[in-house]
Amino acid sequence: MLTAQLKAFFTVARLGSVTLASRQLGISQPTVTTQIRALEEHYGLELFRRNSGRLTISDAGVELLPMVEGLLQQESQIEFALRNQAELRQGSLRIGATAPYYMLDLVQRFQSRYPGIELSLHIGNSRQMVDALREYRVDLAASSHPVRDARLLCWKLGEDPLVLVLRSDHALARQTEVSAQDLAPCRLLLREGGSMTRQLGEEMLQLAGVRPAQVMEIGSREALREAIVRGMGVSLVARHEVPHHPELRVLPLRGAAPMVAEYLYVLKERRQMRLIEAFLSTADLPPRL
């Protein structure tokens, strides 16, 4: 019970929101709030200051935070060590990915060699997946963000250009390629903050001095595809992420299009763990960066 309460405290403190913490922990918002209040009441201290519905971590909370982080990391290490102890006929491995394109081939190759290992694939944006790896919520992570971190080992899986995706009856669909200036009158559909495709697209438009007429943020690939199909706007997407649909058209960008790379990351301290070593050995990776 204490570990669950500390985990609720740590997640709210890190994310700054009970709502976001409940999503990450997979429990309801009232449960998160109840766990934190129980911790405060039992030890007679205030971990958060509550003012008009906003939470601010208290001095006591700040002092406690690094100790809780160390405890939760140790718990995750123990849990992974237990999963890693058995022979490779059983066990489980958690993989984080920004998109299934690169990772599914690696997962399929691993499963064909080690069918007894249970694999789970967690999908999110580039920043979320690197954070999940650092926080031991996944064991390996693919991300489009180039990360400089001495704790991480990195391999480049591949790269693809940004392209424009639009409905086949859009005014631009008759062109064979488009420039950044062509997007000025468009409603541009963007992924959420933390997405590398969004970052590269915004940088390209800023460099060209272009501001789209309208911008709409959409937080998932599936919803983004549906919005384009409905004619709600156009989007810049990595070429390998373009969904197959008869009503969609894909146009290359004129000139040197921004390239979206995909990297595989693993924590250096876990590199020799049996399950991770087995996954890396079946992946046929290029030389490490």
Side-chain angles (χ1 to χ4, degrees), residues 175-195:
Q175 299 185 192
T176 57
E177 61 180 11
V178 290
S179 66
Q181 285 72 21
D182 290 325
L183 303 185
C186 296
R187 179 189 289 123
L188 184 62
L189 308 179
L190 298 173
R191 287 288 307 277
E192 75 285 358
S195 162

Side-chain angles (χ1 to χ4, degrees), residues 10 39-40 42-43 48 55 85 98 106 134 156 163-164 184 211 226 238 283:
F10 176 79
L39 191 62
E40 291 177 319
H42 183 79
Y43 292 99
F48 294 99
L55 293 178
Q85 286 301 316
T98 55
L106 304 186
R134 286 171 170 152
K156 187 175 181 179
V163 294
L164 184 70
R211 291 188 64 183
E226 187 62 25

Side-chain angles (χ1 to χ4, degrees), residues 51-63:
N51 184 17
S52 301
R54 300 186 64 179
L55 293 178
T56 305
I57 191 167
S58 67
D59 292 342
V62 170
E63 186 176 349

Side-chain angles (χ1 to χ4, degrees), residues 13-69:
R14 188 178 61 81
L15 298 178
S17 163
V18 172
T19 301
L20 294 178
S22 71
R23 290 176 188 168
Q24 180 167 305
L25 294 170
I27 57 179
S28 68
Q29 294 181 43
T31 300
V32 173
T33 301
T34 299
Q35 288 177 335
I36 293 173
R37 288 194 181 278
L39 191 62
E40 291 177 319
E41 290 171 5
H42 183 79
Y43 292 99
L45 51 78
E46 184 183 52
L47 297 173
F48 294 99
R49 298 188 185 93
R50 297 161 177 86
N51 184 17
S52 301
R54 300 186 64 179
L55 293 178
T56 305
I57 191 167
S58 67
D59 292 342
V62 170
E63 186 176 349
L64 187 63
L65 201 59
M67 292 184 282
V68 175
E69 181 176 16

Side-chain angles (χ1 to χ4, degrees), residues 70-126:
L71 174 66
L72 296 180
Q73 288 179 351
Q74 188 175 38
E75 179 193 39
S76 181
Q77 290 283 61
I78 292 169
E79 186 268 340
F80 183 77
L82 291 170
R83 287 191 286 119
N84 189 67
Q85 286 301 316
E87 296 294 330
L88 291 172
R89 292 188 294 272
Q90 59 183 11
S92 60
L93 195 63
R94 304 164 303 179
I95 298 170
T98 55
Y101 177 78
Y102 288 105
M103 289 304 298
L104 284 182
D105 282 344
L106 304 186
V107 167
Q108 186 175 26
R109 199 177 304 164
F110 179 82
Q111 283 190 317
S112 65
R113 184 166 178 182
Y114 301 105
I117 303 298
E118 178 183 334
L119 286 175
S120 57
L121 191 62
H122 305 261
I123 303 295
N125 67 44
S126 293

Side-chain angles (χ1 to χ4, degrees), residues 76 79-80 83 92-96 132-133 136-141 265-267 270 275-276:
S76 181
E79 186 268 340
F80 183 77
R83 287 191 286 119
S92 60
L93 195 63
R94 304 164 303 179
I95 298 170
L133 180 67
Y136 303 93
R137 290 184 280 116
V138 297
D139 305 314
L140 303 102
Y265 292 102
V266 65
L267 285 165
R270 286 184 166 182
L275 287 170
I276 291 177

